[in-house]
Amino acid sequence: MTEEPNLPAQRKPSRPVPVVSDEQRERVIDELRQHCGAGALTLDEFAERAGRVWAAPTSMELDAIVADLPDLVAPSAAPAVPVVGETRRRKVRRWVVAVMSGDTTKGRWRVGEQLNAVAFMGGAEIDLREAEFDAPELHITAFAFMGGVSIIVPEGIDVHLDGFSFMGGKDATLAPVPLLPGAPRVHVTAFCLMGGVDVKSKKPASVLRAAREAKRALDRERREQRRIESQARQLDRKRRELDRRSRGGEVGKAIRDDVHDLIRSTIQDSIDSIGTPGRPARPARPTRAERPAVTEEDAAAVRRRLKRNGRPEGTVTIMFTDIEGSTEMIERLGDGDASVLVKEHNDIVRAQVAECGGYEVKFRGDGFMLAFTSAAKGVRCAISIQERMKEFAERHPEAPLSLCIGINSGEAVPDGDDFLGTAVNIAARLADSASGGEVLVTSVVRDLVASSGEFKFLPEQQLSLKGISEPQRVCNVAW
């Protein structure tokens, strides 16, 4: 007995996909044509659905094209009188007349087999894209006497133009697209006397309206984007201008004083209660009456007194202070704790400046620009500040603040409440080059105070400063 060879299992035949025949497509096109003649479809809607008919791959999609349309009624069964509540069909329009004026016919309107258009020294526009057709073919007779008749049809509609023109013209401009099978045919007969008749095709009005609305939405979005970018540029310009004015000393000192007073009043109540685990809270600050006589006047009062007596002018001694690593400190401690420490630092500096008879030019956020009438006052003030800051570091070992100080004497140019000039720039660069706890002075400052014997200096060195063409002779104050 011979065994039958093992044959591979045969698959069950898949369900065949129904193929749409041309007869089915033509039947649906004919149904669409009847609906167009009954007023249920406009010419635009007929063109759109006819395109879907010829693109439908299956009979199900073909049936979906006409599923929302009402059932067709045979002419013999149509009632002579409209039923109550039934929508009355539009009246057929047969004439479009423009005599020394204009006549535009567009939107949803009804046209029969024949339409006459007359333009005498005027213009007539006939838009058939949303018109209801009563017949598969429309005959338009157009008379243009020293005027013009313009006819608009959807793309893909068969249009035939003939007629006669004398000292005028007739023209048909149609889109190069395939004709829609089964679509109504438009036959135009033109008679032109010193006038013109033109036929042109356009996309469906609904498509053009959607495109216009999309363009308007895009334009609105672009305008809003430009407005936001303009506001951002204006804010950036204002910020840069404020920074420039702040650096140049053009912002009034009264504004800065108000800001400082506001900060003091806001954080003063929290200073005494701040503490860390394992360490007692800081001792309460002495009141104004309990402070030594030299610090009774706050920094703002000292500035006002110095302005009354006359600020330093001509040859002055300029001092710059800077908190070393202030940015890293703020990131490590946070804005709240860091602002408390900076506030205490500011009070220390201002108290020593007031005691030594100095003039606060401006506060730079993490340091001061100060002016003195003599080099000795400036060096004396710098040493006092560093000594107080050393005590500050002992009180706050968790966040010791170190100051970098640079001092120079020379001719300064007054600019409002500020000073400008090379002497000022050198002092600022010295503070940038100094390390925490150092007081860097130029050889000019050292020579001015050397005769008093009050101060001691480390050996002189040559130092190249940023923005200064020649190296400077500088030395450290031994305090």
Side-chain angles (χ1 to χ4, degrees):
M1 179 175 180
T2 59
E3 296 182 357
E4 295 182 359
N6 293 327
L7 298 176
Q10 294 183 355
R11 296 187 202 172
K12 293 182 179 181
S14 59
R15 186 175 181 178
V17 178
V19 179
V20 182
S21 64
D22 290 343
E23 293 180 358
Q24 290 176 294
R25 298 183 194 274
E26 291 174 359
R27 189 182 309 114
V28 175
I29 290 291
D30 184 63
E31 185 176 348
L32 291 176
R33 186 189 303 110
Q34 295 181 53
H35 282 294
C36 184
L41 293 176
T42 65
L43 200 57
D44 262 355
E45 293 167 344
F46 172 84
E48 187 270 334
R49 297 198 184 210
R52 289 165 55 191
V53 167
W54 294 103
T58 64
S59 58
M60 293 181 62
E61 295 185 18
L62 200 63
D63 295 338
I65 297 175
V66 294
D68 60 332
L69 296 176
D71 296 332
L72 294 173
V73 180
S76 58
V81 180
V83 180
V84 176
E86 185 184 54
T87 303
R88 181 183 291 274
R89 294 191 62 189
R90 295 171 180 80
K91 185 178 179 180
V92 174
R93 184 161 184 179
R94 304 186 184 279
W95 286 89
V96 176
V97 180
V99 178
M100 302 180 67
S101 61
D103 188 356
T104 300
T105 305
K106 62 180 180 179
R108 193 112 182 184
W109 61 292
R110 188 173 170 218
V111 64
E113 296 183 0
Q114 179 68 39
L115 178 66
N116 301 312
V118 178
F120 178 73
M121 299 180 66
E125 181 180 354
I126 303 172
D127 191 342
L128 298 173
R129 289 177 295 174
E130 295 182 276
E132 300 173 1
F133 279 65
D134 269 2
E137 185 168 345
L138 171 63
H139 294 271
I140 300 177
T141 304
F143 302 90
F145 303 102
M146 293 184 289
V149 177
S150 179
I151 303 172
I152 302 173
V153 299
E155 293 181 350
I157 300 299
D158 185 17
V159 178
H160 178 69
L161 175 63
D162 58 14
F164 171 78
S165 62
F166 177 75
M167 299 181 66
K170 58 183 187 298
D171 179 61
T173 305
L174 304 176
V177 297
L179 297 178
L180 293 173
R185 187 169 184 266
V186 178
H187 189 138
V188 180
T189 303
F191 299 96
C192 308
L193 176 63
M194 301 178 66
V197 174
D198 67 278
V199 183
K200 53 188 175 182
S201 61
K202 288 185 178 180
K203 292 184 179 296
S206 58
V207 174
L208 296 179
R209 283 194 295 267
R212 286 194 298 269
E213 184 61 31
K215 183 178 182 303
R216 282 195 291 267
L218 181 61
D219 291 342
R220 286 195 298 269
E221 183 179 350
R222 288 175 176 173
R223 285 196 298 269
E224 181 66 15
Q225 181 68 22
R226 287 194 295 268
R227 185 184 66 80
I228 295 174
E229 292 175 354
S230 176
Q231 289 181 348
R233 288 193 296 269
Q234 291 176 7
L235 292 175
D236 189 57
R237 282 196 298 268
K238 290 179 180 178
R239 180 187 59 78
R240 291 198 301 267
E241 177 65 16
L242 183 59
D243 292 345
R244 183 189 67 79
R245 294 175 61 192
S246 299
R247 289 194 299 270
E250 299 175 19
V251 175
K253 286 187 176 297
I255 298 177
R256 294 201 296 272
D257 293 344
D258 292 342
V259 174
H260 296 157
D261 293 340
L262 178 61
I263 294 175
R264 279 197 293 272
S265 63
T266 303
I267 66 176
Q268 184 65 43
D269 295 337
S270 61
I271 293 177
D272 300 335
S273 60
I274 293 179
T276 57
R279 184 173 64 86
R282 300 169 186 168
R285 283 182 175 276
T287 63
R288 183 179 296 274
E290 297 171 344
R291 294 177 186 172
V294 71
T295 59
E296 285 184 358
E297 293 180 318
D298 62 4
V302 173
R303 287 198 300 274
R304 291 194 293 270
R305 177 174 58 79
L306 289 173
K307 284 191 83 171
R308 281 199 306 271
N309 298 338
R311 63 175 185 183
E313 293 186 358
T315 301
V316 296
T317 296
I318 302 295
M319 177 197 300
F320 279 87
T321 71
D322 183 59
I323 300 176
E324 185 179 40
S326 60
T327 303
E328 292 80 1
M329 178 196 68
I330 294 173
E331 290 181 355
R332 186 176 71 256
L333 299 180
D335 294 340
D337 290 347
S339 65
V340 173
L341 297 178
V342 172
K343 163 64 175 56
E344 189 171 348
H345 148 269
N346 295 349
D347 291 344
I348 291 174
V349 173
R350 288 183 172 129
Q352 301 311 310
V353 172
E355 184 176 357
C356 297
Y359 173 71
E360 181 182 333
V361 180
K362 58 185 175 182
F363 176 65
R364 305 187 302 166
D366 59 352
F368 290 87
M369 176 182 176
L370 309 168
F372 300 85
T373 55
S374 70
K377 290 182 179 180
V379 177
R380 190 177 300 118
C381 182
I383 294 175
S384 298
I385 291 174
Q386 293 291 29
E387 290 174 346
R388 301 292 86 76
M389 291 304 299
K390 182 179 180 182
E391 298 172 359
F392 173 88
E394 293 173 354
R395 292 196 305 272
H396 306 290
E398 79 285 355
L401 295 186
S402 298
L403 282 192
C404 309
I405 299 180
I407 306 176
N408 184 36
S409 296
E411 196 76 18
V413 180
D415 181 25
D417 293 328
D418 202 356
F419 292 97
L420 304 176
T422 305
V424 177
N425 295 337
I426 292 176
R429 297 308 182 192
L430 283 178
D432 294 340
S433 302
S435 300
E438 289 186 345
V439 179
L440 275 182
V441 301
T442 60
S443 59
V444 175
V445 175
R446 182 200 58 189
D447 295 342
L448 288 173
V449 302
S451 60
S452 67
E454 179 182 356
F455 310 104
K456 295 182 180 180
F457 301 91
L458 299 181
E460 181 183 289
Q461 55 181 322
Q462 293 277 349
L463 189 62
S464 296
L465 302 177
K466 183 179 179 181
I468 307 300
S469 58
E470 298 181 358
Q472 299 296 310
R473 294 185 300 157
V474 302
C475 54
N476 243 314
V477 179
W479 55 276

